[in-house]
Amino acid sequence: MNKKHVSIKSYIITSLMILLGISHIAIFFASFFLVRDRLKSNMLVSVQNEMGAIIERLVKYGYEACQDDGRVSYLADETASRYGGRVMIVSRDYEIIKDTSRDQTGAYIISRNIMDVMTGELQDKVSMDNSVIRIIRPVRDEYGITGVVVVTASLMMIYSNLYKQFALIGAVILIVFALDILIIVRISKGTVNDLDNINEQMTHAVQGNLQERLSDQRFSETQHFAESFNEILSRLSSIDQTRSEFVSNVSHELKTPITSMKVLAESITENEGADVEDYKEFMSDIVEEIDRETKIINDLLTLVKTDSQGNDLNFEEADVNEMMETIIKTVSPLAARRSISLEYESFKEVMAEIDKVKLSLAISNLVENAVKYNIDSGWIKCSLNADNKFFYVKVADSGVGIPEDAKDKVFDKFYRVDKARSRDTGGTGLGLSITRSIINSHRGTIKLYSESGKGTTFTVRIPLRQDRSKIQTVAENTVIEEKADEKTANA
């Protein structure tokens, strides 16, 4: 089941729209309720001040001033009109002396709240809901409470103004929100533009175009990604080129013995007067070419096995000293034929986790090469040492050496410094490639020190203990580090 993916641009736009939308709505309503409560509080204070003025006039001029032409009546009417509400003045005997609505004047009113204020049980009574403010306050003179004033003020007027103001504010917020969306879209497009370019380039790479490279990016993250991608493309190009060269070299190396055998077979066929000795000589040459072909094929198979990341090594605790002694004993007869002195020195006993068969092959290649490319009556010195993490194998010889321009190539497949000499010694150009591959698979490193005409020294470093989880991932990095170390050493 394919999982549906969301584009980064859509994710950024949607997320920021939701965030800004929630933020704007929260700010709008928070401001609305804050302003509403502030206006209600201000209105409450203003109504209380108006009531204070009415009570002062009552105390000063008496309840007679509540008549239609009286000073208190005028102020009460003005207050009721200003606040869209109602003002009632109630005497001590609960008679309504003044009612701005004019429908209760002269009547009597019995109310629990009015009675509590009239009797002094409450200093005053203030109540407020979403629509009105209601205040009951006593009228006091030097003889005590002589009555109460009841004021009811409507909040609809301030609500009406508040709604109008916030309708305008809401419109402004919507405009700002729309502008925010446009800016977000522009920013998101710019943000993912580099990723779109990288994705397009990756598509080209998948289709086989490994030559184009990503240019500089605007953001540090995408720039780092582009640099890594360009490095990957360079490595892929190098691998592709190496593969092409490898196929070409394999074809050439396999074709050469076949061509030689064909020429020899044709010579036998065309030479009708050849005697038995001639036939034996031709057949001997053909056998040699077949042996050379077989050796190339065997080396190729070995190389494929050691290069394969899926090829599991058989690691076990082994005596490295014993392995080295066996290798020296095996190669000694080959060295003795050319009067080459072969010395081995072990500085300590070494036990390590290795694939003994494969590592023996790698070290044997180094020692055998030291014999093949040495001078007659020369010398070879091998040594084994270790510390608390690694063991070290050194193979030094007094041979022909390796030119400066060939040091970075000797580990390449089918590369030969001296092709004529390599063919004479039976070399296929795969030995050092196999050696390096085996050492890399042990998470080790191999370094080369040489000078043309003055001998060659190979040093191998391998961990005493293997971390199985890192073997495959570290192998490729080891090759890169090894080449860097070689360049540094050669410099």
Side-chain angles (χ1 to χ4, degrees):
M1 182 177 180
N2 293 328
K3 183 179 179 181
K4 189 174 181 180
H5 297 281
V6 180
S7 68
I8 296 178
K9 182 168 64 177
S10 299
Y11 179 78
I12 292 175
I13 292 174
T14 304
S15 300
L16 290 181
M17 283 179 61
I18 293 174
L19 178 63
L20 287 176
I22 293 174
S23 300
H24 283 93
I25 292 173
I27 292 173
F28 177 82
F29 282 101
S31 301
F32 176 83
F33 290 119
L34 181 64
V35 173
R36 185 197 66 177
D37 292 342
R38 179 61 61 86
L39 289 175
K40 288 170 67 176
S41 298
N42 292 341
M43 186 173 180
L44 177 61
V45 173
S46 179
V47 171
Q48 289 175 332
N49 291 335
E50 293 287 344
M51 289 185 70
I54 293 173
I55 292 172
E56 285 181 5
R57 291 195 178 190
L58 281 173
V59 173
K60 184 175 181 181
Y61 299 109
Y63 287 94
E64 294 78 8
C66 294
Q67 301 300 323
D68 291 341
D69 56 350
R71 299 180 181 182
V72 175
S73 178
Y74 174 79
L75 183 58
D77 290 335
E78 188 178 65
T79 300
S81 175
R82 179 180 299 115
Y83 296 109
R86 181 182 182 182
V87 176
M88 286 194 304
I89 300 174
V90 182
S91 66
R92 178 65 184 170
D93 55 1
Y94 298 98
E95 180 185 0
I96 300 175
I97 305 300
K98 172 69 177 177
D99 185 357
T100 55
S101 64
R102 300 184 185 280
D103 58 352
Q104 296 291 327
T105 302
Y108 291 88
I109 184 170
I110 302 298
S111 167
R112 181 65 183 175
N113 291 330
I114 291 177
M115 291 177 66
D116 289 343
V117 174
M118 190 77 76
T119 59
E121 292 185 16
L122 292 176
Q123 292 294 325
D124 57 17
K125 176 66 176 179
V126 179
S127 61
M128 183 186 302
D129 56 27
N130 291 328
S131 58
V132 297
I133 297 174
R134 182 180 176 85
I135 306 174
I136 304 174
R137 181 176 290 184
V139 179
R140 296 176 184 272
D141 61 11
E142 56 197 26
Y143 302 106
I145 298 175
T146 61
V148 296
V149 176
V150 181
V151 176
T152 302
S154 175
L155 295 173
M156 291 298 105
M157 292 180 63
I158 64 171
Y159 283 165
S160 177
N161 293 330
L162 184 64
Y163 292 148
K164 290 179 182 179
Q165 293 176 5
F166 271 84
L168 179 61
I169 294 173
V172 173
I173 289 177
L174 287 176
I175 294 173
V176 172
F177 184 65
L179 293 175
D180 289 341
I181 292 176
L182 294 177
I183 295 173
I184 290 170
V185 171
R186 184 61 181 268
I187 293 174
S188 63
K189 286 183 177 180
T191 302
V192 301
N193 187 55
D194 287 353
L195 294 178
D196 289 337
N197 293 336
I198 292 173
N199 185 54
E200 182 180 358
Q201 182 60 43
M202 291 178 71
T203 303
H204 292 166
V206 170
Q207 295 173 351
N209 184 0
L210 304 178
Q211 305 306 317
E212 293 184 9
R213 297 292 183 270
L214 288 169
S215 58
D216 290 341
Q217 308 296 310
R218 288 177 297 173
F219 303 103
S220 60
E221 291 83 1
T222 52
Q223 176 63 26
H224 179 70
F225 187 91
E227 290 172 356
S228 300
F229 181 71
N230 288 338
E231 184 178 353
I232 291 174
L233 286 182
S234 299
R235 292 186 183 181
L236 289 175
S237 298
S238 177
I239 291 172
D240 188 60
Q241 182 180 358
T242 302
R243 182 190 63 185
S244 299
E245 292 176 355
F246 177 72
V247 172
S248 176
N249 289 334
V250 168
S251 301
H252 175 73
E253 292 297 329
L254 293 178
K255 182 179 178 181
T256 301
I258 293 175
T259 302
S260 298
M261 286 186 284
K262 181 181 179 182
V263 171
L264 291 171
E266 289 176 348
S267 298
I268 294 175
T269 304
E270 294 173 358
N271 190 0
E272 296 178 356
D275 55 20
V276 176
E277 293 300 325
D278 291 333
Y279 279 105
K280 287 183 177 180
E281 183 179 352
F282 281 122
M283 293 305 296
S284 177
D285 292 339
I286 291 175
V287 170
E288 288 182 2
E289 293 300 327
I290 292 174
D291 289 341
R292 188 150 71 93
E293 185 99 357
T294 301
K295 181 172 177 55
I296 293 174
I297 293 173
N298 289 336
D299 284 349
L300 283 172
L301 291 174
T302 301
L303 185 62
V304 169
K305 289 180 180 180
T306 55
D307 274 345
S308 174
Q309 290 187 356
N311 179 46
D312 294 330
L313 298 180
N314 183 26
F315 287 108
E316 59 182 358
E317 188 83 4
D319 188 340
V320 182
N321 301 77
E322 180 183 346
M323 181 192 76
M324 290 297 299
E325 291 171 0
T326 302
I327 293 172
I328 298 302
K329 287 180 182 179
T330 303
V331 181
S332 291
L334 181 62
R337 293 175 191 171
R338 299 178 56 196
S339 302
I340 296 174
S341 171
L342 178 55
E343 300 178 6
Y344 168 66
E345 183 177 9
S346 175
F347 292 93
K348 62 170 58 177
E349 295 295 322
V350 179
M351 297 295 295
E353 291 182 2
I354 60 174
D355 186 320
K356 192 173 181 180
V357 175
K358 290 186 174 62
L359 190 58
S360 294
L361 174 60
I363 303 301
S364 293
N365 282 340
L366 295 179
V367 181
E368 288 176 5
N369 281 350
V371 175
K372 292 177 182 178
Y373 302 104
N374 211 325
I375 59 175
D376 293 338
S377 302
W379 53 263
I380 299 172
K381 296 180 180 180
C382 302
S383 65
L384 172 65
N385 203 349
D387 54 26
N388 60 337
K389 290 185 178 180
F390 303 93
F391 70 88
Y392 306 87
V393 175
K394 180 184 290 187
V395 179
D397 64 57
S398 59
V400 296
I402 299 173
E404 189 68 29
D405 58 352
K407 290 180 180 179
D408 294 334
K409 303 176 182 178
V410 293
F411 293 103
D412 294 344
K413 301 174 182 68
F414 292 111
Y415 182 81
R416 300 185 183 91
V417 177
D418 187 343
K419 294 184 179 181
R421 183 179 179 88
S422 295
R423 293 188 186 279
D424 292 340
T425 57
T428 62
L430 294 173
L432 287 180
S433 294
I434 294 172
T435 296
R436 183 177 65 175
S437 180
I438 292 173
I439 292 172
N440 287 343
S441 65
H442 281 73
R443 296 174 54 224
T445 59
I446 179 170
K447 297 180 181 179
L448 163 67
Y449 305 92
S450 183
E451 188 175 347
S452 184
K454 295 185 178 180
T456 302
T457 299
F458 286 94
T459 58
V460 176
R461 185 191 72 177
I462 295 177
L464 295 171
R465 298 289 175 267
Q466 296 293 333
D467 185 346
R468 306 297 198 280
S469 63
K470 296 181 180 179
I471 290 172
Q472 292 183 2
T473 56
V474 172
E476 183 177 352
N477 295 334
T478 305
V479 176
I480 299 171
E481 294 174 359
E482 175 187 308
K483 288 186 176 180
D485 291 341
E486 287 176 6
K487 292 181 180 179
T488 302
N490 292 337

